[in-house]
Amino acid sequence: MDLRQLVQKKLSSEEKCLKCIEAAKIIDDKRHLRIIAITEKRDEHAIFIFTTNRIPCLSSEDMKLETVLPVESQLRCHAETPRGDSSGKPSTEFLLGLKSPEVHILLEMPQHKSTQAFLAEIKRAQDLYSQNAAFGAVPSFDWLTKYRTRLGQSNPFAEDVFDPLKYMNLEDSNMKVSVSETDFQDRDSSSSTTWFTDSFERKTQMNGQGMSAAMGSSYGSRDSLDAHRDFDQTDSIETMQRQLGLGPGIELPLGAKPVSSREAVAKRILMDREDEFVDLTKVRVFCGTWNVNGKSPTQALNKWLVVDERAPDIYAIGFQELDLSKEAFVFSESAKEAEWQEAVKKFLHPKEKYRKVKSVRIVGILLIVFIREKLAKHVSFIDSDSVPTGIMGFMGNKGGVSVRFTLQSTSFCFINSHLAAHQEEFERRNQDYRDIMSKTRFKQFVPPLTIGEHEAVFWIGDLNYRISNISIEDVKTSIRDQKYKALLRSDQLFNQLGTTDIFRGFQEGDITFDPTYKFDTGTDVYDTSEKSRIPAWCDRILWQGVGIALLRYDSHPQLRISDHKPVSANFEVEVKVIDEKRYKKVYEDIMKKLDRIENEFLPQIKLDKTECHFKDVKFIEPQVETITIANVGQAYVEFEFINKLDDARYSKPWLTITPCKEVIKPGLSCDVQIEVYVDKSTVSSLNSSKDNLEDILVLHLHGGKDIFVTVSGNYLSSVFGSSLEALIQMHCPIRQVPTTQLVEIEQPGSLGHVDLTKTGGRLYMVPKELWRLIQHITNHGKDKADLFQIPGLQAEIQQIRDCLDTGEPEVLPGSVHSAAESLLLFLECLAEPVIPFSVFQQCLSASNNLLLSKQVLSQIPDYHKNTFHYLCEFLKEMLKYSEMNGLEIKFVATIFGEVLLRAPPSASKELGSQRARRHRAQEEEAKKAAFMYHFLSNDVLS
């Protein structure tokens, strides 16, 4: 009987065994047969390890469950390559370490396609967990409780005098199993146990036949490399590990005691010596960007995408304003994406065949990356991210999307962005750039990778920087005379490159083409509308990295679909290719030297301080302290900030450490940044004193001692993150409220203990801070275009925060757009939303009926009801001026539905596939908007 069928009999009907394989568990240098299965239930995966009392295993009764490991963020996997046997023959097995907070397990697995398929399944399960967690649906694994109860003790060897696994330091930057994401057909599963009984006498036959990619993953694009990969098989362990994405591990001969992992140290030394084993080859990269102004592809794209006789090896193509509908501003599907995806595929260079690496989109910003089919097998570690920079940081009308991958041994990162518009808003554009640069994280890696950690970075997009301080007549004259260099002296981006932090380290080619914006659609004539915008080079391509040469930088005025012209740049990029024989020789030399150093020296470091105190920490205003860690010993030092006992992370959520893990050479030092940042997720607990700015960090030295770093600070309370119940009781600015009184009124139900005779019988109908924001927007925003659509400036929002918290100055500072975003932020940060958590589900259920919605609203406390009605009347007043401010009732209902109706923190996460969860999220979003629409389109107070 198929092993999977035997395992399936041990599971419930809703649980499915996906893959099953025989392996040997290494205990005290001895092999013990185990059956390893990966199981799934409602998109949650777990690894089951069974013992068997019979060889071959013929019945499920022969199997007994030994260990259960949920596939989640704390599961770590690491490959170790055993040396050949005494005859010098290469090993036909390799070792796989599995580590969770409860257990460490070392498995010996056959070098076989069934093993590849099993590891690929683990990788897919880890990726699915990461995507679900990022979507907010963190798996609970409650279905594993019954199995754990039967097991009793997670690690049966934990009480042994010597547990070899707990002396293995398997944790390093390569611990996460990274495999090709192909769903291999497991054709060799059978009831026999031939591998275990004779694997040491025979060689595994790997002829490369019968390997096929069955299907794409359920959460990726089916024609992308990240969801569907084909690889040739070989009989080389090194090749097999490279195909699976497993970094070379420490060679661990059977019969020897496991040693601590030194991969991070070895990796750093290898980087310094890579010239000894790395060869360079060159690839052609095409980058293209086009703001299509919501139009469909009605012209052939070959004049843009095919500019040379030689075909590019890589295409990175970015679009902006793919969809201009108001409803699309808050993430939703777009029919335009499919049109442009197909158009691009149709007009790629005709001399080559291409595979899509990945595509990613938020609203109108789309990035598609292709690679030449012959190079696809050398691509690994594909990941993507998106950072919306629209108002409130969740609207995707502006922002950036990114794709990263590794080609051979060189990491590539492509970013497509659409920054803030309008001639005078260059500082807002700078802020958008900083947000994208700092917030982009590729979460496949632990810790996540940033943009700056890649070797070849290409930034494309409608960056929206304009030509300023020069008349439109002079601009057009310079364009006609092709005096581009003189005109660039008035370009907002050109004047910042190399002199500010904006695109620091990036380069741009010489611009020898006309400004690409703004044209009358369908023509080559610059804007003749009433606004008569000054022409500008809004559409740009920049790069960062060593070994990158720009070949050409062009615009393509023949394409007249949009009010922008597309831009392209061709590059030649050096790619590192590892010579396996030379690599192995250098690696062995490094290991010998590390053996000698570790035997003679212990890691020694010196910190310039072990205490960090932050003074006057404010909401959304980061503070940074730097600790310098110096290596004063003779050996390489690897440090890492580790979790304290029973803690889920190494620091509290308002604290960030960069880097949290590093290797330091002897005689050098590393600066570690300790950043405190109070955001909307942590502000309420600090306001109510449920948390405080105190933490202890554990700095762990691999092979050495732990050092404790204390972090403390004083937090300045803010109206952002307070409760409505507390705010209506404050007769003075929150900074003047004594801490003990603030803690008291922030307690739920505090109004029930208020003695109105002592307060003069005064309670505000709505918070005075809310009134100030709304009055300011009413007075200055009725005729302001794009109200609630353009994000505010961070510096201005901080000034508004201080004004509301201190009561000074009397007039709110900053632009009306900053005040509008401050209003949304104020509402989103309320400890209890305007529509309380307790009636959230009732509101969704009643959203299709005005009368039912009003009945639900009648159940909430008066101060919540008053605030809701006040907001609705304000929004209806703003909608009266929609011709000037551009507001639409459906858009207003959508964006305010998001902040006024929030799911309770304790709400159970939805189960099911990612597509099903996305559908439910969109359905919930629509119900929130429908609920709000009733109160914006009807006179509910009469």
Side-chain angles (χ1 to χ4, degrees), residues 193-257:
T193 55
T194 53
W195 168 73
F196 183 78
T197 54
D198 66 3
S199 64
F200 305 108
E201 285 77 35
R202 66 182 177 86
K203 290 184 178 179
T204 306
Q205 300 300 314
M206 308 271 292
N207 58 13
Q209 304 300 314
M211 182 80 109
S212 65
M215 62 179 68
S217 73
S218 60
Y219 51 85
S221 172
R222 290 183 180 275
D223 61 348
S224 299
L225 291 181
D226 66 318
H228 188 106
R229 299 287 302 274
D230 294 314
F231 289 103
D232 294 327
Q233 297 183 52
T234 76
D235 57 0
S236 161
I237 280 199
E238 288 83 359
T239 304
M240 182 181 188
Q241 285 186 241
R242 185 174 64 251
Q243 290 173 348
L244 292 175
L246 297 169
I250 299 169
E251 294 190 337
L252 183 66
L254 296 176
K257 292 183 179 180

Side-chain angles (χ1 to χ4, degrees), residues 724 728 751 764-766 834 836 857-870:
L724 288 176
I728 64 171
L751 266 179
Y764 289 110
M765 293 288 289
V766 298
V834 173
L857 200 63
S858 67
Q859 302 173 27
I860 68 177
D862 286 344
Y863 52 92
H864 280 269
K865 195 185 309 175
N866 295 337
T867 301
F868 181 76
H869 285 314
Y870 180 56

Side-chain angles (χ1 to χ4, degrees), residues 379-390:
V379 173
S380 60
F381 303 113
I382 302 166
D383 204 356
S384 65
D385 195 21
S386 59
V387 177
T389 60

Side-chain angles (χ1 to χ4, degrees), residues 61-92:
E61 299 299 321
D62 298 335
M63 301 164 55
K64 182 179 179 182
L65 184 62
E66 180 183 65
T67 305
V68 176
L69 296 172
V71 180
E72 40 80 42
S73 60
Q74 296 190 71
L75 178 65
R76 297 289 185 261
C77 308
H78 185 72
E80 301 284 353
T81 306
R83 295 195 179 99
D85 58 25
S86 57
S87 66
K89 296 180 181 179
S91 174
T92 58

Side-chain angles (χ1 to χ4, degrees), residues 619 683 687 715-722 727 730 734-735 742 746 801 805:
F619 173 62
V683 63
N687 268 350
Y715 172 69
L716 300 181
S717 297
S718 175
V719 296
F720 291 85
S722 294
L727 290 169
M730 294 184 199
I734 192 171
R735 296 273 180 86
L742 187 60
E746 283 288 356
R801 172 210 61 204
D805 289 344

